[in-house]
PDB file of all heavy atoms in Angstrom:
ATOM      1  N   ASN A   1     -27.736  22.589 170.379  1.00  0.00           N
ATOM      2  CA  ASN A   1     -27.155  23.835 169.887  1.00  0.00           C
ATOM      3  C   ASN A   1     -27.780  25.030 170.593  1.00  0.00           C
ATOM      4  O   ASN A   1     -28.646  24.901 171.455  1.00  0.00           O
ATOM      5  CB  ASN A   1     -27.300  23.946 168.371  1.00  0.00           C
ATOM      6  CG  ASN A   1     -28.764  23.912 167.934  1.00  0.00           C
ATOM      7  OD1 ASN A   1     -29.678  23.775 168.742  1.00  0.00           O
ATOM      8  ND2 ASN A   1     -28.981  24.035 166.639  1.00  0.00           N
ATOM      9  N   ALA A   2     -27.358  26.232 170.196  1.00  0.00           N
ATOM     10  CA  ALA A   2     -27.858  27.479 170.766  1.00  0.00           C
ATOM     11  C   ALA A   2     -28.986  28.033 169.904  1.00  0.00           C
ATOM     12  O   ALA A   2     -29.143  27.648 168.740  1.00  0.00           O
ATOM     13  CB  ALA A   2     -26.721  28.500 170.853  1.00  0.00           C
ATOM     14  N   PRO A   3     -29.785  28.950 170.439  1.00  0.00           N
ATOM     15  CA  PRO A   3     -30.759  29.643 169.593  1.00  0.00           C
ATOM     16  C   PRO A   3     -30.067  30.364 168.441  1.00  0.00           C
ATOM     17  O   PRO A   3     -28.873  30.679 168.504  1.00  0.00           O
ATOM     18  CB  PRO A   3     -31.420  30.634 170.561  1.00  0.00           C
ATOM     19  CG  PRO A   3     -31.234  30.032 171.918  1.00  0.00           C
ATOM     20  CD  PRO A   3     -29.896  29.353 171.861  1.00  0.00           C
ATOM     21  N   LEU A   4     -30.821  30.633 167.398  1.00  0.00           N
ATOM     22  CA  LEU A   4     -30.271  31.191 166.156  1.00  0.00           C
ATOM     23  C   LEU A   4     -29.501  32.487 166.383  1.00  0.00           C
ATOM     24  O   LEU A   4     -28.431  32.703 165.798  1.00  0.00           O
ATOM     25  CB  LEU A   4     -31.421  31.428 165.164  1.00  0.00           C
ATOM     26  CG  LEU A   4     -31.046  31.704 163.708  1.00  0.00           C
ATOM     27  CD1 LEU A   4     -30.425  30.491 163.073  1.00  0.00           C
ATOM     28  CD2 LEU A   4     -32.279  32.145 162.930  1.00  0.00           C
ATOM     29  N   ILE A   5     -30.001  33.371 167.251  1.00  0.00           N
ATOM     30  CA  ILE A   5     -29.386  34.667 167.475  1.00  0.00           C
ATOM     31  C   ILE A   5     -27.956  34.524 167.997  1.00  0.00           C
ATOM     32  O   ILE A   5     -27.105  35.381 167.776  1.00  0.00           O
ATOM     33  CB  ILE A   5     -30.246  35.505 168.448  1.00  0.00           C
ATOM     34  CG1 ILE A   5     -29.672  36.927 168.630  1.00  0.00           C
ATOM     35  CG2 ILE A   5     -30.357  34.826 169.802  1.00  0.00           C
ATOM     36  CD1 ILE A   5     -29.788  37.787 167.441  1.00  0.00           C
ATOM     37  N   TYR A   6     -27.646  33.402 168.673  1.00  0.00           N
ATOM     38  CA  TYR A   6     -26.342  33.182 169.282  1.00  0.00           C
ATOM     39  C   TYR A   6     -25.356  32.453 168.363  1.00  0.00           C
ATOM     40  O   TYR A   6     -24.203  32.262 168.765  1.00  0.00           O
ATOM     41  CB  TYR A   6     -26.489  32.375 170.573  1.00  0.00           C
ATOM     42  CG  TYR A   6     -27.232  33.097 171.677  1.00  0.00           C
ATOM     43  CD1 TYR A   6     -28.618  33.001 171.780  1.00  0.00           C
ATOM     44  CD2 TYR A   6     -26.554  33.866 172.604  1.00  0.00           C
ATOM     45  CE1 TYR A   6     -29.311  33.660 172.791  1.00  0.00           C
ATOM     46  CE2 TYR A   6     -27.230  34.523 173.623  1.00  0.00           C
ATOM     47  CZ  TYR A   6     -28.611  34.420 173.709  1.00  0.00           C
ATOM     48  OH  TYR A   6     -29.300  35.074 174.720  1.00  0.00           O
ATOM     49  N   GLU A   7     -25.786  32.050 167.166  1.00  0.00           N
ATOM     50  CA  GLU A   7     -24.873  31.267 166.341  1.00  0.00           C
ATOM     51  C   GLU A   7     -25.017  31.480 164.839  1.00  0.00           C
ATOM     52  O   GLU A   7     -24.255  30.893 164.070  1.00  0.00           O
ATOM     53  CB  GLU A   7     -25.031  29.773 166.651  1.00  0.00           C
ATOM     54  CG  GLU A   7     -26.395  29.177 166.307  1.00  0.00           C
ATOM     55  CD  GLU A   7     -26.414  27.670 166.463  1.00  0.00           C
ATOM     56  OE1 GLU A   7     -25.641  27.150 167.279  1.00  0.00           O
ATOM     57  OE2 GLU A   7     -27.210  27.019 165.758  1.00  0.00           O
ATOM     58  N   ASN A   8     -25.922  32.329 164.401  1.00  0.00           N
ATOM     59  CA  ASN A   8     -26.060  32.558 162.962  1.00  0.00           C
ATOM     60  C   ASN A   8     -25.120  33.670 162.526  1.00  0.00           C
ATOM     61  O   ASN A   8     -25.273  34.830 162.905  1.00  0.00           O
ATOM     62  CB  ASN A   8     -27.505  32.945 162.614  1.00  0.00           C
ATOM     63  CG  ASN A   8     -27.667  33.199 161.127  1.00  0.00           C
ATOM     64  OD1 ASN A   8     -27.250  32.384 160.299  1.00  0.00           O
ATOM     65  ND2 ASN A   8     -28.261  34.327 160.779  1.00  0.00           N
ATOM     66  N   THR A   9     -24.112  33.321 161.712  1.00  0.00           N
ATOM     67  CA  THR A   9     -23.165  34.327 161.245  1.00  0.00           C
ATOM     68  C   THR A   9     -23.827  35.239 160.216  1.00  0.00           C
ATOM     69  O   THR A   9     -24.624  34.802 159.388  1.00  0.00           O
ATOM     70  CB  THR A   9     -21.921  33.670 160.627  1.00  0.00           C
ATOM     71  OG1 THR A   9     -22.317  32.701 159.654  1.00  0.00           O
ATOM     72  CG2 THR A   9     -21.084  32.996 161.705  1.00  0.00           C
ATOM     73  N   THR A  10     -23.484  36.514 160.287  1.00  0.00           N
ATOM     74  CA  THR A  10     -24.034  37.548 159.416  1.00  0.00           C
ATOM     75  C   THR A  10     -22.905  38.131 158.554  1.00  0.00           C
ATOM     76  O   THR A  10     -21.740  37.781 158.743  1.00  0.00           O
ATOM     77  CB  THR A  10     -24.657  38.672 160.265  1.00  0.00           C
ATOM     78  OG1 THR A  10     -23.599  39.417 160.888  1.00  0.00           O
ATOM     79  CG2 THR A  10     -25.591  38.109 161.337  1.00  0.00           C
ATOM     80  N   PRO A  11     -23.190  39.042 157.612  1.00  0.00           N
ATOM     81  CA  PRO A  11     -22.118  39.685 156.843  1.00  0.00           C
ATOM     82  C   PRO A  11     -21.208  40.609 157.663  1.00  0.00           C
ATOM     83  O   PRO A  11     -20.277  41.194 157.115  1.00  0.00           O
ATOM     84  CB  PRO A  11     -22.884  40.471 155.776  1.00  0.00           C
ATOM     85  CG  PRO A  11     -24.162  39.717 155.592  1.00  0.00           C
ATOM     86  CD  PRO A  11     -24.508  39.246 156.969  1.00  0.00           C
ATOM     87  N   ILE A  12     -21.473  40.755 158.954  1.00  0.00           N
ATOM     88  CA  ILE A  12     -20.600  41.554 159.816  1.00  0.00           C
ATOM     89  C   ILE A  12     -19.288  40.811 160.041  1.00  0.00           C
ATOM     90  O   ILE A  12     -19.283  39.649 160.445  1.00  0.00           O
ATOM     91  CB  ILE A  12     -21.282  41.846 161.168  1.00  0.00           C
ATOM     92  CG1 ILE A  12     -22.505  42.723 160.967  1.00  0.00           C
ATOM     93  CG2 ILE A  12     -20.298  42.460 162.147  1.00  0.00           C
ATOM     94  CD1 ILE A  12     -22.187  44.112 160.435  1.00  0.00           C
ATOM     95  N   SER A  13     -18.174  41.504 159.790  1.00  0.00           N
ATOM     96  CA  SER A  13     -16.848  40.960 160.069  1.00  0.00           C
ATOM     97  C   SER A  13     -16.111  41.903 161.005  1.00  0.00           C
ATOM     98  O   SER A  13     -16.078  43.114 160.770  1.00  0.00           O
ATOM     99  CB  SER A  13     -16.037  40.780 158.781  1.00  0.00           C
ATOM    100  OG  SER A  13     -14.706  40.397 159.088  1.00  0.00           O
ATOM    101  N   ASP A  14     -15.526  41.351 162.071  1.00  0.00           N
ATOM    102  CA  ASP A  14     -14.781  42.182 163.016  1.00  0.00           C
ATOM    103  C   ASP A  14     -13.313  42.325 162.640  1.00  0.00           C
ATOM    104  O   ASP A  14     -12.557  42.993 163.345  1.00  0.00           O
ATOM    105  CB  ASP A  14     -14.899  41.608 164.430  1.00  0.00           C
ATOM    106  CG  ASP A  14     -14.399  40.164 164.524  1.00  0.00           C
ATOM    107  OD1 ASP A  14     -14.001  39.601 163.490  1.00  0.00           O
ATOM    108  OD2 ASP A  14     -14.429  39.600 165.628  1.00  0.00           O
ATOM    109  N   LYS A  15     -12.899  41.725 161.523  1.00  0.00           N
ATOM    110  CA  LYS A  15     -11.477  41.739 161.144  1.00  0.00           C
ATOM    111  C   LYS A  15     -11.139  42.742 160.052  1.00  0.00           C
ATOM    112  O   LYS A  15      -9.976  43.111 159.901  1.00  0.00           O
ATOM    113  CB  LYS A  15     -11.056  40.342 160.699  1.00  0.00           C
ATOM    114  CG  LYS A  15     -11.100  39.308 161.819  1.00  0.00           C
ATOM    115  CD  LYS A  15     -10.568  37.973 161.352  1.00  0.00           C
ATOM    116  CE  LYS A  15     -10.498  36.981 162.501  1.00  0.00           C
ATOM    117  NZ  LYS A  15      -9.919  35.682 162.082  1.00  0.00           N
ATOM    118  N   ALA A  16     -12.125  43.183 159.266  1.00  0.00           N
ATOM    119  CA  ALA A  16     -11.860  44.130 158.183  1.00  0.00           C
ATOM    120  C   ALA A  16     -13.147  44.846 157.806  1.00  0.00           C
ATOM    121  O   ALA A  16     -14.226  44.238 157.785  1.00  0.00           O
ATOM    122  CB  ALA A  16     -11.276  43.422 156.962  1.00  0.00           C
ATOM    123  N   ALA A  17     -13.028  46.128 157.511  1.00  0.00           N
ATOM    124  CA  ALA A  17     -14.179  46.907 157.064  1.00  0.00           C
ATOM    125  C   ALA A  17     -14.431  46.673 155.577  1.00  0.00           C
ATOM    126  O   ALA A  17     -13.497  46.439 154.810  1.00  0.00           O
ATOM    127  CB  ALA A  17     -13.933  48.392 157.324  1.00  0.00           C
ATOM    128  N   PRO A  18     -15.683  46.738 155.133  1.00  0.00           N
ATOM    129  CA  PRO A  18     -15.965  46.563 153.705  1.00  0.00           C
ATOM    130  C   PRO A  18     -15.511  47.766 152.900  1.00  0.00           C
ATOM    131  O   PRO A  18     -15.460  48.896 153.391  1.00  0.00           O
ATOM    132  CB  PRO A  18     -17.489  46.412 153.668  1.00  0.00           C
ATOM    133  CG  PRO A  18     -17.968  47.152 154.880  1.00  0.00           C
ATOM    134  CD  PRO A  18     -16.914  46.935 155.934  1.00  0.00           C
ATOM    135  N   ALA A  19     -15.179  47.522 151.630  1.00  0.00           N
ATOM    136  CA  ALA A  19     -14.740  48.603 150.750  1.00  0.00           C
ATOM    137  C   ALA A  19     -15.908  49.413 150.208  1.00  0.00           C
ATOM    138  O   ALA A  19     -15.734  50.567 149.810  1.00  0.00           O
ATOM    139  CB  ALA A  19     -13.928  48.033 149.589  1.00  0.00           C
ATOM    140  N   SER A  20     -17.103  48.808 150.181  1.00  0.00           N
ATOM    141  CA  SER A  20     -18.285  49.463 149.642  1.00  0.00           C
ATOM    142  C   SER A  20     -19.511  48.680 150.106  1.00  0.00           C
ATOM    143  O   SER A  20     -19.382  47.560 150.613  1.00  0.00           O
ATOM    144  CB  SER A  20     -18.241  49.483 148.111  1.00  0.00           C
ATOM    145  OG  SER A  20     -18.322  48.155 147.605  1.00  0.00           O
ATOM    146  N   PRO A  21     -20.733  49.219 149.944  1.00  0.00           N
ATOM    147  CA  PRO A  21     -21.927  48.442 150.282  1.00  0.00           C
ATOM    148  C   PRO A  21     -22.013  47.122 149.516  1.00  0.00           C
ATOM    149  O   PRO A  21     -22.413  46.102 150.081  1.00  0.00           O
ATOM    150  CB  PRO A  21     -23.068  49.386 149.903  1.00  0.00           C
ATOM    151  CG  PRO A  21     -22.495  50.754 150.055  1.00  0.00           C
ATOM    152  CD  PRO A  21     -21.058  50.619 149.603  1.00  0.00           C
ATOM    153  N   ALA A  22     -21.644  47.129 148.232  1.00  0.00           N
ATOM    154  CA  ALA A  22     -21.689  45.890 147.450  1.00  0.00           C
ATOM    155  C   ALA A  22     -20.699  44.863 147.993  1.00  0.00           C
ATOM    156  O   ALA A  22     -21.006  43.669 148.081  1.00  0.00           O
ATOM    157  CB  ALA A  22     -21.392  46.193 145.988  1.00  0.00           C
ATOM    158  N   ASP A  23     -19.526  45.331 148.375  1.00  0.00           N
ATOM    159  CA  ASP A  23     -18.527  44.438 148.959  1.00  0.00           C
ATOM    160  C   ASP A  23     -19.027  43.869 150.281  1.00  0.00           C
ATOM    161  O   ASP A  23     -18.784  42.693 150.595  1.00  0.00           O
ATOM    162  CB  ASP A  23     -17.222  45.192 149.164  1.00  0.00           C
ATOM    163  CG  ASP A  23     -16.166  44.350 149.862  1.00  0.00           C
ATOM    164  OD1 ASP A  23     -15.919  43.220 149.394  1.00  0.00           O
ATOM    165  OD2 ASP A  23     -15.596  44.806 150.872  1.00  0.00           O
ATOM    166  N   PHE A  24     -19.724  44.683 151.054  1.00  0.00           N
ATOM    167  CA  PHE A  24     -20.276  44.261 152.339  1.00  0.00           C
ATOM    168  C   PHE A  24     -21.184  43.044 152.175  1.00  0.00           C
ATOM    169  O   PHE A  24     -21.135  42.093 152.963  1.00  0.00           O
ATOM    170  CB  PHE A  24     -21.048  45.437 152.951  1.00  0.00           C
ATOM    171  CG  PHE A  24     -21.746  45.119 154.241  1.00  0.00           C
ATOM    172  CD1 PHE A  24     -21.062  44.594 155.330  1.00  0.00           C
ATOM    173  CD2 PHE A  24     -23.111  45.365 154.380  1.00  0.00           C
ATOM    174  CE1 PHE A  24     -21.708  44.321 156.527  1.00  0.00           C
ATOM    175  CE2 PHE A  24     -23.770  45.101 155.561  1.00  0.00           C
ATOM    176  CZ  PHE A  24     -23.068  44.573 156.638  1.00  0.00           C
ATOM    177  N   ILE A  25     -22.002  43.036 151.143  1.00  0.00           N
ATOM    178  CA  ILE A  25     -22.943  41.945 150.921  1.00  0.00           C
ATOM    179  C   ILE A  25     -22.273  40.755 150.238  1.00  0.00           C
ATOM    180  O   ILE A  25     -22.435  39.604 150.653  1.00  0.00           O
ATOM    181  CB  ILE A  25     -24.141  42.436 150.087  1.00  0.00           C
ATOM    182  CG1 ILE A  25     -24.898  43.527 150.860  1.00  0.00           C
ATOM    183  CG2 ILE A  25     -25.071  41.282 149.741  1.00  0.00           C
ATOM    184  CD1 ILE A  25     -25.986  44.195 150.054  1.00  0.00           C
TER     185      ILE A  25
END
């Protein structure tokens, strides 16, 4: 596999913006 930085998904989504900070998490 790849190092963690190259494959660990985060709460960042490129398809839709969050409605609020709570929604983001």
Side-chain angles (χ1 to χ4, degrees):
N1 60 358
L4 193 67
I5 184 69
Y6 294 89
E7 64 172 28
N8 180 50
T9 51
T10 72
I12 295 295
S13 173
D14 58 358
K15 294 185 175 183
S20 66
D23 176 51
F24 176 55
I25 297 173

